[in-house]
Structures are given as C-alpha cells and as structure tokens.
Amino acid sequence: MTQTALITGATSGFGLAAARRFLGAGWRVIVTGRRAERLQPLVQEFGAERVHAAVFDVRDAGAMEAALAALPPAFADIDLLVNNAGLAQGTAPAQSASLQDWHTMIDTNVTALVNLTHRLLPGLIARKGAIINISSVAATYPYPGGNTYGGTKAFVSQFSLGLRSDLHGTGVRVTSIEPGMAETEFTLVRTHGDQGASDKLYTGANPMTAEDIAESIYYVATLPPHLNINRLEIMPVTQSFAGFQVARES
C-alpha cells in the first residue's frame, strides 16, 4: 500500500531533498512552502497523483487548516509528518539582536510545528504513523549568536521526547533529527542574504548536504515498525566540539 508523507518547508534544502527521496521510493508526498514556483516542478516531474503542493506560510494557522481541509482524498490519510520548516535569522549577540528576528524564529520553529503536529495527531495515531522533527545540534551546543535559534531547537528536541512519552502504546514513532553543518540556504537566510558569509562558512569544510539529511530522514521513516530512533545527531567529520569561551581580565 502506498504511504503518504507530509513534508513542511519543501521548497529548498532538507525538505526538497527529502521530498525527492520519498517520491523516488514510491511514496505519495504533500509538500508545503510559501513559494509555489519551487513546489510546482515536483508536481510536474512526478505527477499530481504522487505530489500535492500545499502553498501556505506555516506561521499562518488559518492557511494551514484550509490547506489540510482541501487535501485531495488520495492524500488525506497521512502516515508520516516531517516537521522540517524552520530557520535561523540574525547572527548578533542577544543584547543587540532584532526582536523581530526572534519572533520569526519562535513563530516558525516552535508555534507552527506544534500547531501542525496537534492537528495531525489523531490521524497519525489511527494509522500508527510517525513524526520526524528536524532539530539541530544547536539544541545541545550553544554558539555565539545562536541565542533564540538554539532555544527553539532545544524546544523541538524536548517536545519530540515528550511526544514519544505521551504516545507510548499508540504505535506512533517520534524522532528528533539534529544535524550539524550542512550546506543549504540556511546561512543565506540567517545572514539576511549575505552570500559572502555563506561561502566563507562552507569553503573547505566538506559539510553535509541536503541529500545526506534526506537519506537519514528516509532511513528513520522506513525502519521496521517496532523500532524507534529517539534522537539522531549528525555532523560532518570536519565538525566537532569547540572549547569554552574565556573572557580574560586585562
């Protein structure tokens, strides 16, 4: 029987790569995002019977509900939710950061994620489905300028563990995938479009790719149903753990 996945933030990066991975394996996929022009090529390539593009901003709860209510019958029964939509904005320390950037990250990474998860839980329980939340190593390891972004991803990781506990006995699997450095549009968004900063970060670092994370998402989703990966932390070999900061007195 063909299974159906809903993948948020599928216009680029992990979400787009994951959509392609699941479609390549024969799944039906609902892809969401704000930019219709980035979702439609998937529909054209794989066909409307395999891909449904739901164009909305995940921060808009009303638009989310309308999109879910309008799903074609073939896509209505969702077996897998991949909460991928998320972003970092700004690189400044907390004392000089933009409050609007903070709210954008909270609204996208936390509020939208819990809204969609809550909405889909009854169906996921009925089908003994799975939830994969895309967190980050920033949930565990702080870095300068990571203030609110790290806080939102710590929420995602802990929320995933809480869901896992609450869903005990239902057959629903819950996983938090926590990537480290991966070359996507992430840094462009975080720096508000600074291509130079993005290039500097990734040059020579041999970072992970969106396809690497998509493969991990697919692996977790297709394990035998009696297995659950609780947390999966992934880094490129070139990335590890920094030393503690020390502010020295003069």
Side-chain angles (χ1 to χ4, degrees):
M1 185 176 69
T2 302
Q3 292 184 289
T4 300
L6 188 155
I7 303 173
T8 64
T11 56
S12 65
F14 301 160
L16 177 57
R20 288 190 167 279
R21 182 66 180 89
F22 281 91
L23 286 164
W27 287 54
R28 277 188 298 260
V29 179
I30 303 158
V31 289
T32 86
R34 293 175 297 164
R35 295 169 287 186
E37 71 277 7
R38 290 200 176 191
L39 297 177
Q40 284 306 316
L42 286 172
V43 179
Q44 293 164 5
E45 181 178 349
F46 291 95
E49 70 282 357
R50 297 279 314 286
V51 187
H52 177 74
V55 181
F56 64 93
D57 186 331
V58 292
R59 295 174 296 173
D60 186 334
M64 177 200 77
E65 180 57 43
L68 293 174
L71 288 175
F75 291 87
D77 293 335
I78 297 166
D79 302 286
L80 169 66
L81 168 61
V82 180
N83 278 313
N84 166 73
L87 77 168
Q89 284 202 325
T91 59
Q95 61 270 31
S96 53
S98 160
L99 183 58
Q100 182 57 53
D101 283 350
W102 283 12
H103 281 293
T104 297
M105 287 184 279
I106 293 167
D107 292 345
T108 306
N109 301 356
V110 175
T111 306
L113 182 147
V114 300
N115 285 345
L116 182 56
T117 302
H118 187 270
R119 171 63 169 75
L120 294 184
L121 271 177
L124 290 166
I125 291 170
R127 283 178 291 284
K128 297 184 188 300
I131 300 166
I132 297 176
N133 294 324
I134 305 303
S135 181
S136 168
V137 296
T140 304
Y141 311 109
Y143 60 89
N147 38 70
T148 296
Y149 175 70
T152 63
K153 290 304 185 178
F155 174 89
V156 172
S157 295
Q158 188 63 27
F159 180 62
S160 301
L161 294 176
L163 282 175
R164 174 96 168 89
S165 179
D166 287 346
L167 293 170
H168 177 78
T170 66
V172 177
R173 297 182 293 168
V174 184
T175 300
S176 172
I177 294 184
E178 303 172 4
M181 180 185 286
E183 187 169 7
T184 64
E185 293 182 1
F186 175 86
T187 299
L188 276 178
V189 174
R190 182 171 180 249
T191 60
H192 298 287
D194 187 339
Q195 184 65 56
S198 180
D199 293 343
K200 181 179 180 181
L201 177 66
Y202 297 122
T203 297
N206 196 18
M208 297 184 295
T209 66
E211 288 71 26
D212 292 330
I213 303 306
E215 192 62 38
S216 299
I217 295 169
Y218 182 77
Y219 162 74
V220 167
T222 55
L223 285 169
H226 68 289
L227 299 178
N228 192 95
I229 302 293
N230 297 326
R231 302 176 76 161
L232 181 58
E233 181 182 292
I234 318 169
M235 290 181 178
V237 173
T238 56
Q239 183 183 33
S240 61
F241 315 103
F244 286 108
Q245 300 178 96
V246 178
R248 302 190 184 278
E249 298 177 355
S250 56

